[in-house]
Structures are given as structure tokens and as C-alpha cells.
Amino acid sequence: MPAIVVLLVILFSNINLYYTPEITFVAPDSVRADLLKELRGLKSALHDNADIKMQRLYPEGYLFMNAIYGLAWCNFMEGLSNESEYFEEGTVELKKTWDKIDSDRGRSPFNESLPLRYGAFYTGWSTYFLGRKLSLEHPTKRKESEVTYFKQQCDSIAAVVKERIYPVSYYGGAWPADAILCIASLSWHDKLFEPRYAEVRKAWLEKVKNNLDVHGLIPHSVSPLNGKPVESARGSSQGLMLIFLREIDASFASEQFAIFRSNFLDRTLGLSGIREYPKGEFGIGDVDSGPMLFQVGSAATLVGMQTLCLYGDVENSVQMRDVIEAVAFPYERDDRKSYLFGLMPIADAFITWSHSVERSHDNVSSSFTTFHVISAAVCIALGVFLWIILRPKKPTSDVLHVPW
């Protein structure tokens, strides 16, 4: 019955809160074995066309899932020996990912005639991923066609952002998160090749600082005409932007993170999470936020786990990691690991991407006392409820007892 299922879920969640990443040493590398399992779980899901299925649920599901999957491999491969079997496996996966992104199917949801061909979303994610892919390749092994394409895309980005702070992703729609990926791509260009975009980034950043929202943050969406805020900062997009903003200007990114943390980091039932809307504001979930509970957003928390880690708030990042491990029903089979019974692979992609930036946090412990107390109270209440329903009833008799 439902009450028993709830008791089992509570018990499972409380046990799984105490999660420790599995480290495997294979000379000359030490790797997170569970992260590798997650990557291979996604690899299997993509082989079964999970990205096509996600496109049916989300406007950019195909591109988004492949790009995030590829970036998770990029993070995993950093620091590995080029001769490592894992590095070679990752190289194969990056090539497959790029082939999907740079395809008619990858571009099909987007309009070619926008100022940035196919819009800022496609240009940002595709160019940024290609830059990361090139960074992991020896210069002599890079495909010349990919290098040329990357440089052409960067030139296009630089030209368009001189005219508009936030280039449109679709007709009539502009989202700063997409533009930030575009500008971060210019940063990668200047790391890989002769620097040429420093002034472009500087001028763009000054315009951004003059168009912040009421909280002093980069807004969620803006007018495509003048870059003025249309919707104030939200947890899901803010966490995402901060991941890439630090590659553009680390000082400004740190300032933005401090404001983000004070407005969006929250505790619910004793557990850390990222709100979709700032403290003091109430909002309704949508395609960007994913499911919400007590105003804590699922997408915001999955992304925010990585954001907090990158900006040094390891304690809250690790607690979110452990909470996700407790409530997302992880499942392992052979050398693969998935979440939510494999029903929502794009969530797996976000979880894996966030896990991929962790290095060694084994010594960080989190306190879940409040959650344990609340769980115990709920279990006691359910236990009493079950006892009342299931307890044996006293037998009744229709025979009249007459004392003599």
C-alpha cells in the first residue's frame, strides 16, 4: 500500500545520503569509477536515441543533451594521460558528439537566417563545445576543417555582439545564457590560438554591467532590441551562466556568484538546494525550471551543484550531490549507472556534467540531522497510521449474554 512505499522511499533516501565517490587507479591515472559508469550509461542511452527522444520533450533537447554529454567527457579527460584507454574512449565519444551537433538534425530546430546563423543558442553551445574538443587535441591532430569552422564562428560572434549585447536565439527571443556561451567561446579561441578578442569581451562586459536586473544579476531573459531585462534572474539560468562567466571575467563572475548565493541558495527540510526564483519571490515551474518543490528547482539544483563546486562552496555542493544520489534513484548495471530508472536521460546528463568537475571531496562531510529528524517523525506518524488500520479488531458476537 502507498504508506509502506513511502516508508521504504524515506528509508532508502536516508541511507543513500551518505554517498562516497568511487575512485579507481589504473596506471598512470586515477579516475572516478562512478563518473565513468555515468558516462557509459549516457553513452548507452544515446546509442538508443535518447537525444532524439529528448527533442520531443524539449525545444533544444537533441543539441542540449549531446553538448552536455560531450562537456562531461571533456572535464573527465582533463588531466588524463593521452595514452590512457579512458582518454581514447573519450576522444571517440567527442568525435561522435561533434558529428551529431554539426548535423542537419542538430541544426533543424533553429533558424539559419538570424544574425548569428541558427541563433545564439546553437552557435553558443556548438562553438563552445568545439573549442573544448580542440583543446584536448594535439595541434598536429586537429582537423583543419574544424579549426577553420571554429575560427569563423568566433569571428561571427565578435561581429554580432558589437551590435547587440545578447544576440537572439529565436525570432523575438534573447536569453543572456546563450550569449555568455558565445563569449566564452571567444575566451577559448584566445587560449588556443593567437589572441584577438580581448577588447570585444571587455566592451561586451561593460554593456552587460549596465543592464543588470533589480538584484544586480544578469537577467534570465531580455528584450532583443535593447538588451534590457524582461525577466529577472532565475536559479536555473543563473547557475548555468556562472559556470561560463568565470572564463570571461573571473572577478565579475565572483561578484555575481556572491549575489546569486545570497538570493538563491536555500535549505528545505534541512537540505541544501537552489531556488528557481529569488528569496521572497514566488514562481511557477516551467520547461526551464523542471519540477519544483517548495520553490527549489530541480534544474537549478542539478546545475547549481556544479556552480557551487567551481566557486569553492564545496560543502553545499557535496550536500546537493548526496541529496541527488538519495532521491534520484541511482541504478547500476555492469559498467553503467543511470538515474530515475533511465526515464529522463537529460537529467542524467546534467548530473554527470556536474559530477565531472569534482576532484577530491572525500574528506567533506555533510550534516543531515534535521532531515533525519523530519524523516523519523514522518515514519512514526505513518507507523501509527498503519497500526490503526491494520491492528486486529476485537471479535464481536451476536449472542446475548444473560447473567444468572
Side-chain angles (χ1 to χ4, degrees):
M1 62 188 303
I4 296 176
V5 173
V6 172
L7 283 171
L8 291 174
V9 169
I10 291 173
L11 179 62
F12 174 85
S13 298
N14 276 267
I15 293 173
N16 264 28
L17 282 171
Y18 297 94
Y19 163 75
T20 302
E22 179 185 351
I23 307 296
T24 298
F25 180 78
V26 179
D29 300 308
S30 61
V31 299
R32 271 191 52 180
D34 49 353
L35 175 58
L36 186 60
K37 290 176 183 177
E38 291 168 25
L39 287 165
R40 288 173 174 170
L42 284 168
K43 177 180 176 180
S44 176
L46 286 165
H47 180 75
D48 293 333
N49 298 319
D51 46 3
I52 297 174
K53 296 171 186 174
M54 291 301 98
Q55 182 62 40
R56 297 176 190 142
L57 297 177
Y58 303 101
E60 306 96 358
Y62 183 87
L63 173 62
F64 216 0
M65 182 166 181
N66 279 293
I68 292 170
Y69 170 68
L71 291 177
W73 269 110
C74 288
N75 292 337
F76 176 76
M77 293 165 66
E78 286 182 341
L80 294 181
S81 164
N82 289 5
E83 306 302 320
S84 163
E85 62 178 288
Y86 304 124
F87 192 93
E88 293 177 4
E89 181 181 356
T91 300
V92 172
E93 292 307 301
L94 294 187
K95 181 183 183 305
K96 290 195 300 188
T97 298
W98 175 244
D99 288 344
K100 287 186 172 187
I101 291 173
D102 185 36
S103 69
D104 290 340
R105 187 188 292 275
R107 288 184 286 266
S108 62
F110 309 100
N111 194 310
E112 184 179 2
S113 62
L114 295 172
L116 278 176
R117 286 184 69 203
Y118 303 106
F121 184 95
Y122 178 82
T123 300
W125 283 99
S126 62
T127 309
Y128 183 87
F129 170 75
L130 182 56
R132 291 292 305 275
K133 176 179 179 293
L134 293 172
S135 74
L136 291 166
E137 298 170 348
H138 191 278
T140 60
K141 294 185 178 181
R142 294 169 183 161
K143 289 181 67 173
E144 189 59 37
S145 59
E146 292 180 359
V147 172
T148 300
Y149 180 76
F150 177 72
K151 291 181 176 181
Q152 289 173 344
Q153 290 294 87
C154 288
D155 280 341
S156 297
I157 291 168
V160 172
V161 298
K162 288 178 182 178
E163 304 298 324
R164 297 188 181 190
I165 311 173
Y166 302 117
V168 296
S169 296
Y170 302 97
Y171 279 118
W175 290 267
D178 303 341
I180 284 178
L181 272 152
C182 292
I183 304 300
S185 300
L186 301 186
S187 296
W188 273 102
H189 174 282
D190 287 0
K191 293 175 187 176
L192 298 172
F193 307 105
E194 182 179 352
R196 54 182 301 190
Y197 297 117
E199 289 304 314
V200 175
R201 296 196 302 272
K202 182 179 178 181
W204 177 84
L205 203 60
E206 287 305 312
K207 295 176 185 176
V208 169
K209 292 177 181 179
N210 291 327
N211 290 276
L212 301 175
D213 72 358
V214 294
H215 304 286
L217 291 168
I218 298 174
H220 176 71
S221 64
V222 299
S223 165
L225 299 177
N226 56 23
K228 297 297 182 182
V230 170
E231 186 175 5
S232 294
R234 289 176 52 175
S236 53
S237 59
Q238 196 65 209
L240 189 67
M241 287 189 282
L242 285 165
I243 292 170
F244 303 105
L245 188 60
R246 59 197 290 273
E247 299 178 352
I248 301 169
D249 188 298
S251 177
F252 179 60
S254 295
E255 294 171 9
Q256 289 283 286
F257 173 75
I259 303 172
F260 163 76
R261 190 180 186 281
S262 65
N263 280 277
F264 290 92
L265 179 62
D266 210 350
R267 292 183 73 82
T268 302
L269 304 178
L271 304 175
S272 296
I274 302 295
R275 297 172 58 90
E276 180 59 24
Y277 298 90
K279 293 175 182 176
E281 297 182 21
F282 177 86
I284 299 173
D286 57 18
V287 68
D288 289 327
S289 70
M292 292 168 52
L293 180 65
F294 303 119
Q295 293 296 293
V296 171
S298 54
T301 300
L302 293 182
V303 175
M305 168 173 56
Q306 177 176 175
T307 308
L308 292 170
C309 179
L310 291 172
Y311 284 85
D313 189 349
V314 176
E315 182 178 352
N316 281 301
S317 175
V318 168
Q319 183 171 112
M320 287 182 196
R321 180 200 70 192
D322 295 347
V323 170
I324 290 166
E325 200 71 20
V327 303
F329 301 103
Y331 171 71
E332 292 191 30
R333 183 180 63 183
D334 301 327
D335 63 343
R336 291 169 285 172
K337 181 178 180 180
S338 60
Y339 293 85
L340 300 172
F341 309 108
L343 297 176
M344 192 57 63
I346 199 164
D348 287 34
F350 272 107
I351 292 170
T352 303
W353 184 36
S354 288
H355 285 172
S356 70
V357 303
E358 294 181 14
R359 289 301 175 252
S360 179
H361 298 150
D362 294 351
N363 59 334
V364 178
S365 58
S366 299
S367 172
F368 299 106
T369 304
T370 301
F371 183 73
H372 291 325
V373 171
I374 294 171
S375 298
V378 172
C379 288
I380 291 170
L382 284 173
V384 171
F385 173 74
L386 288 172
W387 178 78
I388 292 172
I389 290 179
L390 300 177
R391 65 176 176 171
K393 293 181 173 56
K394 293 182 179 180
T396 58
S397 174
D398 295 329
V399 179
L400 179 63
H401 176 70
V402 180
W404 296 100

